[in-house]
Amino acid sequence: MAHVHIHRLPAWQYALAGGTTAVLGAYALNSIVLWLLLQAAVVVVLYRAACRHRCGWWLLFAAALAGLIAAAGWSIRSGVPANTPMGLSMALPYALYAAGAFQFGRRKQPGSAAEAGAVVLGLAMVAWSFVVLPYLGEPGYQQVGNALAMLYAVIDIAILATVLRNLADARRGPARLLAAGGLLLLTPHLVYAATGSAGTVPFLPGGPAHLMIQFCWVLVAAAALHPGAGVYLPGAEGVGRRPLIAMCTAAVASPLIPAIADRRAVVVVPALLTAGVCGLLLLRIVLLARLAERRAGQARAALQEQQVLQRRLAYRAGHDALTGLANRDLLLDHLGRAVAGDRPYALILCALDGFKEVNDTYGHHVGDTVLRQVAGRLLLFAPEVELVARLGGDEFGFLVTSGADAGELAGRVVGAVAAAPFVVDERRIPLTARAGLADGVPGNDTVLGDADLALRAAKQAGGARPARFDESLRAEQTERARIAAGLRQALADGSLFMHYQPVVDAGTGRMTGVEALMRWRRDGELVPPGVFIPVAEQTGLIGAVGTRALWLACAQAAVWHREHGLYLTVNVSTHQLRDPGFADGVLAVLAGTGLPAAALVLEITESVLIDAADTPVLGTLRAHGVRIAIDDFGTGYSSLAYLHTLPVDILKIDQSFIRRLQDPPKPTDVSLTRAILELARSQGLLAVAEGVETGAQADLLRELSCPLAQGYHFGRPADARSIDSLLRDTVREPAA
Ligand code: C2E
Ligand code: CA
Ligand code: CA
């Protein structure tokens, strides 16, 4: 909402200027009617102020009205009024004025009235001692005149009190106007008193005293129109210094005043004693006030501390204690705002590769330090991001609302992680990261899930390229969920079963072993393992699926081993190796099926092997006689350097190498295969050529002295019965 301010001259300034002009005009013209009209205008202004603000304005209104009536009275009467009625008629407006102006300065705070009262009483003491007493003592002074003089003295002192009080007022404008008005009222009285109360003429319209009083009313009217007129003084928190000093002075000094005027012991002694009592009482009060103030101070400090704590708790609630980055809650909070907003935004999720290994290898202390360093690097490389959050573990989120290119940013942070190793205690720890990002449109709150899908896609794709969410990822996700549900069902209803592919002696073509390959028939159709194995890995079902494969294959192979001396080779995935109970599980299956450990080979892909090299699982199994094969050799890391450190026995050359040995094979391809075979031999590993599809390939491998081979040329993966009949055939006509 926009407010339109219209600038106007304040009304009170008009009143001041107009009033002054009118008073001067009336003086010059010496017109009674004009005087009365002027005073009537003041009455109206004060009446309106009283209706709006209360707070003393009613008293001031009454004062002006009384003044108007008095002035009207004198105007009607011809001749100069006598001192007494004149004085009485004017005492009322003054007293009302003093009361009203005093009310205006009232603070909404306990004790302030007492302070003001003390000052007034102190002044009354001055009036009593120096004004009233001397007059009372004067012989021959008229009784009524005496009383009037005393009355005026007291009223004047009250007015003086209001002047002082209004001068100290924080509401500058109206208070200053009232103070000035008070002074204008006081002056003619003092002059009157000083000149021995000679005559009443100056107080009549046209006289100088009347002129000043009229100016006073102009000031009061202006004060009534001032915007500060209705503003209450705020109750100050502590006890102010100035009122306190005024009160102390009044309390201690006023009992002494009679003693100054009259030095007799009968006056001085009680005065001194009274002043002493007042002083001690005040001391007590001040000390109590100090105590209260200290208590209040303590309470304030406690409150402040609580607020700091509150802020700290709020910070903690929104931030990750380890890295100081925002946490998931805070990110969700900001994300919610971005969704509700009207600007496009993007979310990047970034995960470290192999961070778990850092923790396992070097301990959590090093892992935590690395995470802190990663956090620092991410912040440094993504300055245009609204929020960087740690979402738990090794995953980070970046909310981009600045319109920056999120794809470029994602690439930059991934690059920043990989750019240089992290250094902890002089250990250099290289890390890489993957990133997925999703663009958010206002009103769409699926962005977190979308970015997560993109991150998973990036992990699957490998490499440093960030993946960006699109609808196909969601379709894939739905398909994955369908497969996972089907797999769960399959584990229960036995629709998972095994096929076996012969592994043959490359020289003779004789079957020496079988590779177990899992099959799933869903709704009468075979689902390829390349489809369901990755889903099983992602959903954690691989544990159950792998165990099922082992039981089925070992039970079947136990027979073949007994009768034909065949060995069995079974595929094992990364996730299975991470299970610390894996080795015991395998040994239990061997014990349960009667297959000797020496007849079992576990196939593990190359990249996984390097990660698993320092876990005790493989060592335990090998100690029992189980052999380990590197599957798909040549597709993962170039692990030649590590080969001798890996706990392996068999090397399976990936199909891609064999496929290149087409008729006629290129010399370079032949020499590559030869080199791999020689490498295996030198490391004491048994080599298996995979994916042999043609006789020419088989011949070539034989020439290269490849010990074992596998492929459609020798036999497709088939069910157990087919292998059985194959075995029967070989027994009947042994290979040449
Ligand atoms: P793999 O371990 O490399 O298995 C060899 C794959 O090559 C099998 O595919 C096999 O049918 C196929 N193959 C065999 N000979 C030839 C050939 O001459 N030419 C061609 N083009 N292909 C040939 P399959 O059965 O579809 O299995 C695919 C992958 O699924 C396997 O690759 C393996 O990584 C995984 N897998 C299969 N069963 C299991 C299992 O029980 N557990 C685990 N963890 N993974 C399995
Ligand atoms: Ca395999
Ligand atoms: Ca393979």
Side-chain angles (χ1 to χ4, degrees), residues 461-487:
R465 260 180 73 90
R468 190 184 279 267
F469 171 82
D470 63 50
E471 287 303 324
S472 70
L473 286 182
R474 211 197 311 273
E476 279 169 31
Q477 154 84 354
T478 318
E479 176 61 11
R480 263 203 300 275
R482 212 171 69 91
I483 290 171
L487 263 182

Side-chain angles (χ1 to χ4, degrees), residues 396-410:
F396 299 88
F398 303 76
L399 178 61
V400 186
T401 51
S402 61
D405 180 353
E408 184 268 330
L409 222 155

